[in-house]
Amino acid sequence: MKSFLWLIVGVGLGFVVAHKLNETPQGKQFFSSIDKKARDFGSAVSDGYHQREAELRSAIDGD
């Protein structure tokens, strides 16, 4: 139970620090950069998934 409490405290402090950091121009730029990288990664995963799905469907329909 004590570890869980420390986890909650850590998460809360992390949110507070991130919020304060996001109020600065450098912080906004940093989070914007992180957001772009995360979206690019998600898009690449999605594209790969759809490409592989199409390959598998083609292989199944080809039999």
Side-chain angles (χ1 to χ4, degrees):
M1 185 68 176
K2 191 174 182 180
S3 296
F4 182 70
L5 177 63
W6 282 113
L7 175 68
I8 297 301
V9 169
V11 169
L13 286 174
F15 276 114
V16 169
V17 169
H19 179 71
K20 291 293 183 184
L21 183 62
N22 195 37
E23 292 176 347
T24 66
Q26 296 88 356
K28 287 184 185 208
Q29 183 180 6
F30 171 74
F31 284 119
S32 177
S33 171
I34 295 291
D35 185 53
K36 182 180 179 335
K37 290 176 184 177
R39 288 181 189 273
D40 289 346
F41 177 74
S43 180
V45 169
S46 178
D47 291 345
Y49 172 83
H50 291 297
Q51 180 181 0
R52 183 64 177 150
E53 182 182 31
E55 291 171 359
L56 292 174
R57 288 189 187 275
S58 176
I60 291 171
D61 292 341
D63 289 343

